Amino acid sequence: MKTEKIDKRQAIIDAAEKLFCETGYEGTSTRQISNESGANMAMINYYFGSKEGVFVEIMNNRIAGFGSQLKIINEDKISAIEKLNRVIDGYATRILSNPSFHKMMHRELSLSQRPEMYNKIKDAMSLNMQLLEKILTDGQEDGSFKQADNRMVIATIMGTLTNIVISPHKVMPEFDLDLNNPKDKKMIKDKAVAHLQDLLTVYLTTKK
């Protein structure tokens, strides 16, 4: 019985993520999630309270997954620039593994009518930001990196990759790119990762 409950809970999360990607947050109803997952409405309310609760759970799971990856990178006995390069590659891999979800997430969290939903996941996002900042400050303290606005460095990584996912044609206008195509996805990821790694290596290691 316990395994069945866990399976149903995960089925709800999987169904909701699929529907959010296809029709957006507003376009998805709790009843649709129920039909797609095979779980009844009472079960959705029991586990998550509401559609918003399901969305927040999906977001927190993704944020926690990236946080675990950042902790491993932070603890590795490698140079600061190697850690930063792994962060760039890892984040690119993560958001390009499901570009539809990332586009939907970016759209929903940027809407002014969603402040309460954003606030619920802000603390989890803040923990990841602290882990990212630690990689940069450790590099600055050991002399690997020059002093810089670390939040702007992080924004450069995240903003660049988000913009590429939303509008890949801006980067490679000569190609009709489809980020659901593995070949196109690899092409754009390799290009984006190489650019960000080169850009930040020059920016953070060039002494004035």
Side-chain angles (χ1 to χ4, degrees):
M1 180 65 78
K2 185 176 181 181
T3 301
E4 183 181 345
K5 287 184 178 179
I6 293 171
D7 289 345
K8 281 295 183 185
R9 191 177 191 281
Q10 188 60 48
I12 293 167
I13 291 172
D14 293 342
E17 182 171 327
K18 176 177 178 287
L19 290 167
F20 289 149
C21 290
E22 291 175 352
T23 62
Y25 181 82
E26 283 297 337
T28 300
S29 68
T30 309
R31 187 166 298 282
Q32 286 173 309
I33 296 172
S34 173
N35 292 338
E36 182 75 24
S37 66
N40 59 43
M41 301 278 282
M43 192 169 286
I44 294 173
N45 290 331
Y46 172 75
Y47 283 126
F48 305 103
S50 63
K51 177 178 73 172
E52 180 184 304
V54 184
F55 183 86
V56 171
E57 179 75 7
I58 293 168
M59 284 298 304
N60 283 340
N61 287 345
R62 286 181 167 267
I63 292 166
F66 188 46
S68 296
Q69 189 176 357
L70 290 173
K71 287 177 184 176
I72 291 170
I73 293 171
N74 257 305
E75 292 167 3
D76 277 351
K77 303 301 182 184
I78 55 177
S79 68
I81 195 63
E82 287 176 303
K83 289 182 179 182
L84 185 59
N85 285 342
R86 285 195 187 179
V87 167
I88 293 168
D89 187 80
Y91 188 61
T93 299
R94 182 167 287 273
I95 68 168
L96 283 166
S97 67
N98 192 342
S100 296
F101 180 85
H102 190 79
K103 285 192 282 187
M104 180 277 299
M105 176 201 76
H106 178 76
R107 181 179 66 249
E108 297 300 337
L109 293 181
S110 65
L111 293 175
S112 58
Q113 64 263 39
R114 303 269 191 275
E116 68 290 342
M117 196 156 67
Y118 176 75
N119 286 334
K120 287 182 180 179
I121 65 173
K122 188 167 63 175
D123 288 345
M125 293 174 71
S126 177
L127 291 174
N128 284 3
M129 293 293 282
Q130 291 172 28
L131 289 167
L132 285 166
E133 281 191 295
K134 186 175 188 308
I135 291 172
L136 295 168
T137 55
D138 284 351
Q140 288 158 351
E141 288 172 3
D142 70 19
S144 300
F145 296 153
K146 70 179 184 182
Q147 294 299 312
D149 186 330
N150 291 336
R151 285 289 173 135
M152 288 302 295
V153 172
I154 295 168
T156 298
I157 297 169
M158 294 184 169
T160 298
L161 290 170
T162 293
N163 192 45
I164 287 170
V165 167
I166 293 172
S167 304
H169 62 276
K170 290 181 181 178
V171 182
M172 302 180 76
E174 67 276 21
F175 293 97
D176 184 19
L177 291 170
D178 177 6
L179 291 181
N180 293 312
N181 180 309
K183 184 178 178 182
D184 288 355
K185 187 183 294 185
K186 184 179 186 308
M187 185 190 305
I188 199 73
K189 182 205 161 186
D190 290 349
K191 188 178 181 71
V193 168
H195 167 73
L196 283 169
Q197 289 177 344
D198 289 347
L199 177 72
L200 293 178
T201 296
V202 172
Y203 175 65
L204 290 170
T205 62
T206 302
K207 306 297 183 183
K208 292 183 178 179

